[in-house]
Amino acid sequence: MSSFSFTVQARDGAARAGRLVTPHGEIETPAFMPVGTAAAVKAVTARDLVEVGAQIILANTYHLMLRPGAEVVAGLGGLHGFTSWKGPFLTDSGGYQVFSLAGLRKLDEEGVRFKSHLDGSPHMLSPERSMEVQQLLGADVIMAFDECPPYPAPREAVDEATARTTRWAVRSRSAKTRDDQWLFGIVQGGVHLDLRERSARELVALDFPGYAVGGLSVGEPKEDMMRVLSHLQPLLPESKPRYLMGVGTPEDLIEGVHRGIDMFDCVMPTRNARNGQVFTSQGRLSIRNARFRDDPRPLDPACSCPTCRTASRAYLRHLHLAGEMTAATLLTLHNLFHYLDTLKEVGQSIRLGRFQDLRERRLAGPRAEVPEP
Amino acid sequence: MSSFSFTVQARDGAARAGRLVTPHGEIETPAFMPVGTAAAVKAVTARDLVEVGAQIILANTYHLMLRPGAEVVAGLGGLHGFTSWKGPFLTDSGGYQVFSLAGLRKLDEEGVRFKSHLDGSPHMLSPERSMEVQQLLGADVIMAFDECPPYPAPREAVDEATARTTRWAVRSRSAKTRDDQWLFGIVQGGVHLDLRERSARELVALDFPGYAVGGLSVGEPKEDMMRVLSHLQPLLPESKPRYLMGVGTPEDLIEGVHRGIDMFDCVMPTRNARNGQVFTSQGRLSIRNARFRDDPRPLDPACSCPTCRTASRAYLRHLHLAGEMTAATLLTLHNLFHYLDTLKEVGQSIRLGRFQDLRERRLAGPRAEVPEP
């Protein structure tokens, strides 16, 4: 356990800048974790990820248990032996994907039986099986098995799922045997502040080394998400890392940091890149737009990523419209750099006591399509 | 014109090692040119190409005139301004793709009218228009507009196409006005040695700075291709570069060098990579093969490419089967490195007078699926 630590090094209001140390490397927080669903971040290589400044990658337990199988990954040395990424990994519990992707689910107190979305084969996830799979995968940070209710859902259903999440957290903790992994608990409770508070208090009593906030960004209004985060902020231990799962836009990340969050993951920068949607310091743009046909400028003249250093909007538009995979690679590199660089800048602003200035500037800035030149 | 030169620096039999100097850089010969159809080599970035040792890229005139349009490329500074590849480019004449891809072709002495395979829009290519387009694209080496007959074809049709190719070569030469591009003539004649000889003599009389051999690898038996190359070898000027278009396997490249060829292009390393087909020093393998599921070894233990330094067969198989674009990237990098490295080794062997040793060793070696471990 001594190879793990989390230190808050600076505060500005509720915002924190710190350092998470894991057996496979250190992560400066606030941190963004690119999503590597199938043990690879789509369209880029591990070398690319190092170059754009990634420090930790998220991999999906659900996908990897189905293909190639957790036992196959374990036989090749876990995620660190199997993949080309040698830095820290985090795996999710599998719960979220079971509820959003798998077919023919059957949920009871034991766990969830489901059919693979790939081939219909039957599988089961429970706290014990999720821990077994995540221990076979060998990520540095692993997640307790939780039930993530849909939005909207009746309050009673959310109440039930939240209570079960606590019971499953107890079982997850008991089932974990490896001491070179940190297990985080997941707070549920939907948009109900009292359920969120109960969930947080129950999980904090279990003394996990870190806490995630799950069940947000599932369709609820953004104000509700922010209300939940504000409410949870004083309830979660100051000295432990806090991870907001599956969120969001660069502005959402800044608002999360403002409410005490240290870690984020989201498919938005990578998925949007493959669809030609680009994040820039001047707002978002769609590379398909006809006005970029002859535009010799980089995606973002203020950006120093490998794509902005070497490719024009005109060239990227051409590659995207021609269906060239290279377009996905170059736009993914840019979007990831934009996310990672945004949180780097956020961290620096916290250390300098200027986070609120940055927050106000970024949130007042353009977010939509880049205006005409 | 002074920024161009070609020097044969060493010979071993008919095999030659030399240097081609262009306005955008030098190329060691024998050289392999990765194919960048749409002004990008599929699945890799320009930085990747530098890393695997590419020195010149081929781009397709037909594809680029249709999308984004030669005038668009010219407005952005030609291929060197438009793309991220700053080294030498070669463009083909467009003739081959017109005959293999376009719809509703109408050929006469003036040129070819055709409909775009993308949107059915009408276009025309002729020696004059091909030169205009290739000058707008601005590659270092450009090709005369030729007629490439199919295989098999009646001898009279091949005779006719070969004679027309000479007349079009004269018109191509007259239409070329930029003096910072080298224009190569293309020898046609199918598998008929007398037609090949006539074509070569007529084109050599036109005094092009380099010569390509076209119309091979279009379905004819490999022995016929080798017979044509052996016949042409003494007919083409010793002091000028010779380019075998659209060929082939690594063994074909070695056999081409043995018959005096200096330059090659082929989609095989890149296209095969996207299909999971890999070239190694021990033969070819399909990464889909079930026996690689748990194989921790690199694709080729003798290879030092970026992929073999960082990824196992098991991981690459998983990425390929999961449909991850990264698989295409990593396998393309490997296959290109294998091709480029093979010709580097060939060049060194020529300089050391050991080309025949290398040729015999490589041609005696395994070519098919890697044997079971």
Side-chain angles (χ1 to χ4, degrees), chain A residues 213-226:
Chain A
V213 182
L216 290 177
S217 203
V218 293
E220 78 286 354
K222 197 148 285 187
E223 303 77 61
D224 283 338
M225 174 163 86
M226 296 308 162

Side-chain angles (χ1 to χ4, degrees), chain B residues 42-59:
Chain B
K42 287 187 196 306
V44 296
T45 65
R47 298 181 307 133
D48 291 333
L49 290 169
V50 170
E51 188 168 1
V52 296
Q55 298 184 308
I56 175 169
I57 303 300
L58 179 144

Side-chain angles (χ1 to χ4, degrees), chain B residues 50-370:
Chain B
V50 170
E51 188 168 1
V52 296
Q55 298 184 308
I56 175 169
I57 303 300
L58 179 144
N60 287 126
T61 291
Y62 169 85
H63 289 279
L64 293 170
M65 71 182 279
L66 298 183
R67 183 173 57 195
E71 288 74 9
V72 170
V73 175
L76 291 152
L79 287 168
H80 294 96
F82 181 56
T83 77
S84 304
W85 173 258
K86 301 309 173 195
F89 270 106
L90 179 147
T91 46
D92 59 9
S93 71
Y96 181 79
Q97 272 81 24
V98 167
F99 291 105
S100 60
L101 280 183
L104 290 173
R105 290 182 298 278
K106 189 166 172 300
L107 169 76
D108 60 21
E109 188 63 19
E110 165 65 14
V112 194
R113 289 170 199 287
F114 62 94
K115 292 204 190 295
S116 161
H117 73 290
L118 295 174
D119 61 7
S121 58
H123 294 269
M124 196 268 292
L125 269 176
S126 63
E128 292 75 19
R129 176 62 180 155
S130 177
M131 289 305 105
E132 185 183 15
V133 170
Q134 290 188 77
Q135 293 187 118
L136 286 165
L137 296 175
D140 301 84
V141 179
I142 66 177
M143 305 302 296
F145 189 64
D146 62 327
E147 182 185 346
C148 178
Y151 180 90
R155 184 192 152 90
E156 308 77 58
V158 179
D159 190 340
E160 170 82 4
T162 305
R164 182 177 282 127
T165 291
T166 295
R167 295 193 296 274
W168 283 358
V170 173
R171 282 167 54 192
S172 294
R173 205 182 55 164
S174 301
K176 174 180 178 288
T177 53
R178 280 180 67 158
D179 64 0
D180 60 345
Q181 297 182 297
W182 253 12
L183 173 63
F184 283 18
I186 303 179
V187 176
Q188 290 289 351
V191 296
H192 308 286
L193 298 186
D194 58 332
L195 297 183
R196 284 285 177 183
E197 181 161 346
R198 191 185 78 201
S199 178
R201 292 195 190 283
E202 290 172 352
L203 289 166
V204 169
L206 293 172
D207 196 26
F208 287 100
Y211 293 92
V213 183
L216 290 176
S217 204
V218 293
E220 77 286 355
K222 198 146 283 189
E223 305 77 63
D224 283 339
M225 175 163 86
M226 295 308 164
R227 223 164 27 84
V228 167
L229 292 179
S230 296
H231 194 75
L232 286 176
Q233 189 273 320
L235 299 173
L236 296 173
E238 269 290 312
S239 62
K240 294 182 175 177
R242 301 158 179 178
Y243 160 31
L244 176 56
M245 305 183 83
V247 174
T249 66
E251 295 77 27
D252 292 339
L253 269 50
I254 291 171
E255 289 298 275
V257 169
H258 178 60
R259 289 162 179 84
I261 300 295
D262 307 298
M263 300 162 71
F264 303 86
D265 80 281
C266 192
V267 296
M268 196 174 275
T270 42
R271 179 178 292 166
N272 284 22
R274 297 194 302 282
N275 295 326
Q277 303 297 317
V278 179
F279 295 91
T280 82
S281 62
Q282 296 302 303
R284 297 189 211 168
L285 60 83
S286 168
I287 199 64
R288 306 177 71 88
N289 197 305
R291 76 172 185 282
F292 299 135
R293 194 190 71 154
D294 301 295
D295 193 336
R297 292 174 298 174
L299 291 172
D300 184 351
C303 179
S304 59
C305 83
T307 302
C308 287
R309 288 201 308 267
T310 60
S312 67
R313 293 172 180 179
Y315 185 49
L316 293 167
R317 175 176 185 270
H318 161 69
L319 293 178
H320 180 77
L321 293 181
E324 292 285 329
M325 292 183 207
T326 311
T329 301
L330 292 170
L331 297 183
T332 298
L333 286 174
H334 170 80
N335 277 357
L336 283 178
F337 185 93
H338 183 78
Y339 267 65
L340 293 160
D341 198 54
T342 294
L343 283 190
K344 198 175 193 178
E345 207 188 326
V346 164
Q348 286 163 347
S349 78
I350 293 168
R351 291 171 198 275
L352 295 169
R354 292 180 188 161
F355 172 65
Q356 290 306 326
D357 294 350
L358 180 147
R359 176 174 170 244
E360 282 161 29
R361 197 172 70 243
R362 287 293 292 256
L363 301 185
R367 302 190 201 185
E369 186 80 357
V370 171

Side-chain angles (χ1 to χ4, degrees), chain A residues 287 292-298 307-322 324 326-327 330, chain B residues 24 36-41 46 59-61 63-87 89 91 136-139:
Chain A
I287 199 65
F292 299 135
R293 196 190 71 155
D294 302 295
D295 192 335
R297 292 174 297 175
T307 301
C308 288
R309 288 201 309 268
T310 60
S312 67
R313 294 172 178 179
Y315 185 50
L316 293 166
R317 176 175 185 270
H318 162 69
L319 293 177
H320 181 77
L321 292 182
E324 292 284 329
T326 311
L330 292 170
Chain B
H24 292 92
T37 298
V41 177
N60 287 126
T61 291
H63 289 279
L64 293 170
M65 71 182 279
L66 298 183
R67 183 173 57 195
E71 288 74 9
V72 170
V73 175
L76 291 152
L79 287 168
H80 294 96
F82 181 56
T83 77
S84 304
W85 173 258
K86 301 309 173 195
F89 270 106
T91 46
L136 286 165
L137 296 175

Side-chain angles (χ1 to χ4, degrees), chain A residues 59-294:
Chain A
N60 286 126
T61 290
Y62 170 85
H63 289 280
L64 292 170
M65 71 181 280
L66 298 183
R67 182 171 60 193
E71 287 75 8
V72 170
V73 174
L76 290 152
L79 287 168
H80 294 97
F82 181 55
T83 76
S84 305
W85 174 258
K86 302 308 171 196
F89 270 105
L90 178 147
T91 46
D92 59 10
S93 71
Y96 182 78
Q97 273 80 24
V98 166
F99 291 103
S100 58
L101 281 179
L104 290 172
R105 292 181 298 277
K106 190 167 173 298
L107 169 75
D108 60 22
E109 188 63 21
E110 166 65 12
V112 194
R113 290 171 198 285
F114 61 94
K115 293 204 190 294
S116 161
H117 72 291
L118 295 174
D119 61 6
S121 58
H123 294 269
M124 194 269 291
L125 268 176
S126 63
E128 291 75 18
R129 177 63 181 153
S130 177
M131 289 304 106
E132 185 183 17
V133 170
Q134 291 188 76
Q135 291 187 117
L136 287 165
L137 296 176
D140 301 82
V141 179
I142 66 179
M143 304 301 296
F145 189 64
D146 62 327
E147 183 185 347
C148 178
Y151 181 89
R155 184 191 152 93
E156 307 76 60
V158 179
D159 189 341
E160 171 83 2
T162 305
R164 183 177 282 127
T165 291
T166 295
R167 295 193 295 273
W168 283 359
V170 173
R171 282 167 54 192
S172 294
R173 204 182 56 163
S174 301
K176 174 178 178 289
T177 54
R178 279 180 69 158
D179 64 1
D180 59 347
Q181 299 182 296
W182 252 11
L183 173 63
F184 283 18
I186 304 181
V187 176
Q188 290 287 353
V191 296
H192 308 284
L193 298 186
D194 58 330
L195 297 182
R196 286 284 176 183
E197 180 161 346
R198 190 185 77 200
S199 178
R201 292 195 190 283
E202 289 172 351
L203 289 166
V204 169
L206 293 171
D207 196 26
F208 288 100
Y211 293 92
V213 182
L216 290 177
S217 203
V218 293
E220 78 286 354
K222 197 148 285 187
E223 303 77 61
D224 283 338
M225 174 163 86
M226 296 308 162
R227 221 164 29 87
V228 168
L229 293 179
S230 296
H231 193 76
L232 286 176
Q233 190 273 321
L235 299 174
L236 295 173
E238 269 291 310
S239 62
K240 295 183 175 178
R242 302 159 179 180
Y243 160 31
L244 176 55
M245 305 184 83
V247 175
T249 65
E251 294 77 29
D252 292 338
L253 269 51
I254 291 171
E255 289 297 277
V257 170
H258 177 60
R259 290 162 178 83
I261 300 295
D262 306 297
M263 302 163 70
F264 303 87
D265 80 282
C266 191
V267 296
M268 198 175 274
T270 43
R271 179 178 292 165
N272 284 20
R274 298 196 301 284
N275 294 326
Q277 302 298 317
V278 179
F279 295 91
T280 84
S281 61
Q282 295 304 304
R284 298 189 209 165
L285 60 84
S286 168
I287 199 65
R288 306 177 71 89
N289 197 305
R291 74 172 186 279
F292 299 135
R293 196 190 71 155
D294 302 295

